């Protein structure tokens, strides 16, 4: 892919309010509204559904129409587009666009949407975690839900630490381990060091199952003032006895 096919967001040029620790809120559309994927599959029957899928990432305009190709990668997932989550991080000068992707059945990686390169990826391990869905909370999406949070002054941000979060330095993954595929489990992703080539995943919430029939983004609610989260999780009960079924 040639450099001419990519465009890099310009540094923030207009004055914007910042917090006392230098955090600057993002402007413009959330990344989820700026990028789409297009994929083509290798339908070789000998691949048993795990043939390589070629994925193209395209930037779209405000009307949702593709404008340019920004990245390409290969995935072993038949539905690789379901495992694509663009997000942004502030690097001290401007916001940088990345995306969570999965190139194998048991790894999560980070695609740099400005260079088109995979910059961080989990190591493949036996019995690893198979990602099926990602979610990275975006500052604009979270705070635009609050009527008071659409426009801030620098004084607002300096005095209200709740407005400094989230920053795109963490996310969530839903998936399963081998032979544990009945319901998706929710795990945490540390994205704070992706610029250094490091991504980390852990099960700090314990064995938590995503509630049925909702997306991962619907299952996660952020409480910005306490910096806590609420998870919509699955619990199973016997309707006759009320006894909870424990897995």
């Amino acid at each position: 892919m040639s450099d001419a096919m990519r465009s890099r967001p310009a540094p923030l040029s207009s004055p914007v309010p910042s917090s006392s620790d230098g955090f600057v809120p993002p402007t413009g559309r959330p990344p989820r509204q700026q990028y789409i994927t297009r994929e083509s599959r290798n339908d070789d029957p000998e691949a048993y559904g795990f043939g390589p899928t070629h994925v193209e990432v395209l930037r779209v305009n405000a009307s949702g129409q593709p404008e340019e190709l920004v990245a390409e990668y290969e995935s072993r997932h038949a539905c690789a587009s379901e495992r694509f989550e663009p997000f942004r991080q502030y690097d001290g000068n401007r916001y940088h666009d990345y995306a969570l992707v999965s190139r194998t059945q048991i790894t999560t990686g980070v695609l740099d949407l400005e260079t088109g390169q995979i910059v961080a990826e989990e190591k493949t391990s036996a019995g690893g975690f198979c990602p099926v869905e990602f979610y990275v909370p975006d500052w604009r999406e979270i705070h635009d839900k609050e009527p008071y949070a659409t426009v801030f002054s620098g004084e607002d941000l300096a005095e209200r630490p709740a407005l400094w979060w989230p920053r795109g330095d963490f996310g969530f993954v839903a998936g399963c381990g081998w032979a544990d595929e009945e319901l998706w489990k929710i795990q945490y992703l540390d994205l704070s060091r992706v610029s250094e080539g490091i991504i980390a995943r852990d099960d700090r919430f314990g064995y938590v199952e995503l509630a049925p029939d909702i997306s991962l983004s619907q299952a996660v609610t952020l409480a910005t003032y306490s910096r806590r989260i609420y998870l919509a999780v699955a619990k199973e009960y016997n309707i006759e006895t009320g006894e909870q079924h424990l897995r």
Side-chain angles (χ1 to χ4, degrees), residues 4-157:
M5 298 181 74
R6 304 191 188 100
S7 70
R8 295 172 172 77
L12 295 171
S13 55
S14 58
V16 292
S18 63
S19 68
S20 61
D21 72 344
F23 172 69
V24 176
T27 58
R29 293 175 293 144
R32 206 172 291 108
Q33 299 174 17
Q34 296 186 47
Y35 299 96
I36 62 171
T37 56
R38 182 170 59 197
E39 60 184 56
S40 55
R41 291 181 54 194
N42 174 5
D43 290 323
D44 181 355
E46 295 185 0
Y48 300 103
F50 296 106
T53 299
H54 182 74
V55 184
E56 297 177 332
V57 181
L58 303 102
R59 192 190 309 276
V60 299
N61 58 29
S63 299
Q65 300 301 311
E67 290 188 330
E68 61 181 329
L69 178 69
V70 297
E72 300 173 89
Y73 64 96
E74 301 291 320
S75 172
R76 300 296 293 183
H77 289 284
C79 300
S81 295
E82 296 177 0
R83 298 162 177 85
F84 175 79
E85 171 75 346
F87 65 97
R88 53 190 170 189
Q89 280 188 359
Y90 188 63
D91 64 8
N93 178 48
R94 65 177 176 88
Y95 276 88
H96 196 105
D97 287 355
Y98 298 100
L100 290 174
V101 300
S102 180
R103 297 198 294 175
T104 75
Q105 276 75 33
I106 54 174
T107 59
T108 294
V110 179
L111 175 67
D112 187 324
L113 292 175
E114 299 182 21
T115 67
Q117 303 298 311
I118 298 291
V119 295
E121 194 164 34
E122 291 181 298
K123 294 182 179 179
T124 302
S125 61
F129 191 78
C130 177
V132 297
E133 189 177 3
F134 300 118
Y135 173 53
V136 180
D138 183 76
W139 190 95
R140 181 60 60 185
E141 289 181 329
I142 298 301
H143 289 282
D144 274 356
K145 296 177 182 178
E146 307 291 345
Y148 59 81
T150 52
V151 179
F152 302 106
S153 67
E155 185 175 317
D156 287 333
L157 281 172

Side-chain angles (χ1 to χ4, degrees), residues 131-209:
V132 297
E133 189 177 3
F134 300 118
Y135 173 53
V136 180
D138 183 76
W139 190 95
R140 181 60 60 185
E141 289 181 329
I142 298 301
H143 289 282
D144 274 356
K145 296 177 182 178
E146 307 291 345
Y148 59 81
T150 52
V151 179
F152 302 106
S153 67
E155 185 175 317
D156 287 333
L157 281 172
E159 295 180 353
R160 296 165 70 177
L163 300 180
W164 308 349
W165 187 77
R167 301 180 177 219
D169 56 1
F170 68 90
F172 305 88
V173 55
C176 64
W178 292 113
D180 185 21
E181 304 173 5
E182 187 170 351
L183 287 173
W184 305 139
K185 316 307 179 294
I186 302 174
Q187 296 194 357
Y188 177 86
L189 293 173
D190 182 352
L191 308 175
S192 62
R193 301 179 65 188
V194 295
S195 63
E196 304 171 39
I198 299 172
I199 179 174
R201 173 179 51 81
D202 65 62
D203 57 356
R204 65 184 59 190
F205 311 123
Y207 190 85
V208 176
E209 294 177 320

